[in-house]
Amino acid sequence: MSTSCAVVPYTVRTELFRSNRFIAPLRFHNYRSKCELSRRDVVFKGIVSAGASVIASTVAAEPKGQGLEKLPFKPEGYNYWTWQGRKIHYVVKGEGLPIVLIHGFGASAFHWRYNIPELAKKYKVYALDLLGFGWSEKALIEYDALVWRDQVVDFVKEIVKEPAVLVGNSLGGFTALVSAAALKDQVKGVVLLNSAGQFGDASSGANDSEETSFQKFIIKPLKEIFQRVVLGFLFWQAKQPTRIESVLKSVYINAENVDDYLIDSITRPADDPNAGEVYYRLMTRFMSNQQKYTLDSVLSELSCPLLLLWGDLDPWVGSAKALRIKEFYPNTSLVNLQAGHCPHDEVPEQVNKALLDWLSTLTSTLLQAA
């Protein structure tokens, strides 16, 4: 498969840096950036690259992962849970308030390699592979955002078994949001890192018309054949190690962490016999049905504190989207980072510090309310 930073499919209608360590003074920035991508952009930039997902502070980039403990890479994976007859991979470390990490499109639990060990010093950290990705089963089903929502909801109920904080990057961010909305009081906070998802467009669907027989029996089958040929080639190209490395380096502002560990964590799942078919289903059925799931509709159902850890240099999803989320959902803290689409892997020290600070405040508030 691909990386959300392994990378993202945005919303999936549409919708992976270094200097000396220092923290710039807190200040507001208004960056101009696009909040969404066209599906064509996703195919050729996001997915292919991937496979190849208040505090208004701006933090300067620093060396990534230097001296940080790293989750050991295990080709066989860590733990497995059977969900609806499917094998689901997950990692668990530490003790304390549960933190559930959800990767982006095409990535896996291993994408949190620099975050799990640090967070596990104070909290019980879970990182799971979404169905169809990573070491989880490549199920031949009709993928939909609600499939992953149900998976995370059941994971919290059956494996975590207590209220938790959900953390997601890219596709994992949107999955965290819809899961939190469903779990209600079982989620004490949500953290988004350059999340997928788009705000609703009142004019969308205005031009929908009934499908004609010609479209249904002639155009649609021909379109599917063409899509299979093109996407089959794209998948083959996307899973080549050299292609993955090239694209990751183009989306990680600081490419230091584009290493064998990261590349191997993407290429191994792509060798699964069903990986190509899953890729096809994600790129056609799943991505074409995402307009019905919007950020505003999901945020309207959220009731817990929200933290945005946002890579402002993301080529696809910049700070404008984070500002819009904060404007729509006031119970939001925002930390701007000089990083790309996957700040947790690009500037893990900064992400870990910001997340731990926010979690400390959150746990204090929860204790006071108890």
Side-chain angles (χ1 to χ4, degrees), residues 303-315:
S303 59
C304 61
L306 176 64
L307 171 64
L308 305 179
L309 298 177
W310 218 265
D312 284 340
L313 305 181
D314 186 341

Side-chain angles (χ1 to χ4, degrees), residues 28-224:
F28 288 94
H29 285 277
N30 291 317
Y31 294 103
R32 293 181 180 178
S33 59
K34 296 181 180 179
C35 291
E36 59 184 59
L37 294 176
S38 69
R39 187 173 173 195
R40 182 174 181 273
D41 287 335
V42 174
V43 173
F44 290 98
K45 295 180 180 178
I47 310 304
V48 173
S49 69
S53 204
V54 180
I55 307 170
S57 60
T58 298
V59 186
E62 62 185 35
K64 336 166 275 167
Q66 298 296 318
L68 284 181
E69 183 181 352
K70 181 165 60 177
L71 180 73
F73 183 80
K74 291 186 177 182
E76 71 279 11
Y78 278 79
N79 307 284
Y80 289 90
W81 163 58
T82 299
W83 176 68
Q84 297 186 1
R86 308 293 187 181
K87 185 176 72 172
I88 302 298
H89 172 250
Y90 70 97
V91 177
V92 58
K93 300 285 183 182
E95 294 296 335
L97 175 69
I99 313 297
V100 179
L101 306 177
I102 309 170
H103 64 79
F105 191 94
S108 69
F110 290 111
H111 206 203
W112 302 98
R113 53 185 171 167
Y114 292 118
N115 315 108
I116 294 172
E118 190 67 20
L119 297 176
K121 293 176 182 178
K122 294 186 176 181
Y123 302 97
K124 189 166 188 176
V125 183
Y126 296 87
L128 77 161
D129 288 354
L130 297 175
L131 186 68
F133 296 109
W135 274 246
S136 287
E137 187 170 337
K138 307 301 177 291
L140 300 183
I141 63 171
E142 297 306 310
Y143 286 91
D144 183 277
L146 301 189
V147 170
W148 297 311
R149 179 203 65 181
D150 293 345
Q151 178 190 342
V152 172
V153 166
D154 288 346
F155 184 81
V156 171
K157 292 179 177 179
E158 297 180 20
I159 301 298
V160 181
K161 297 181 179 179
E162 59 180 308
V165 172
L166 304 184
V167 181
N169 168 236
S170 189
L171 172 63
F174 191 73
T175 301
L177 277 179
V178 295
S179 300
L183 284 163
K184 304 296 183 184
D185 292 342
Q186 286 297 101
V187 172
K188 298 304 180 182
V190 175
V191 182
L192 305 181
L193 298 93
N194 295 65
S195 178
Q198 65 185 38
F199 282 90
D201 180 357
S203 64
S204 65
N207 296 321
D208 291 347
S209 59
E210 185 176 350
E211 187 177 46
T212 67
S213 295
F214 179 73
Q215 290 173 323
K216 182 176 181 179
F217 297 108
I218 304 297
I219 300 299
K220 194 172 181 179
L222 289 175
K223 180 181 178 181
E224 181 172 346

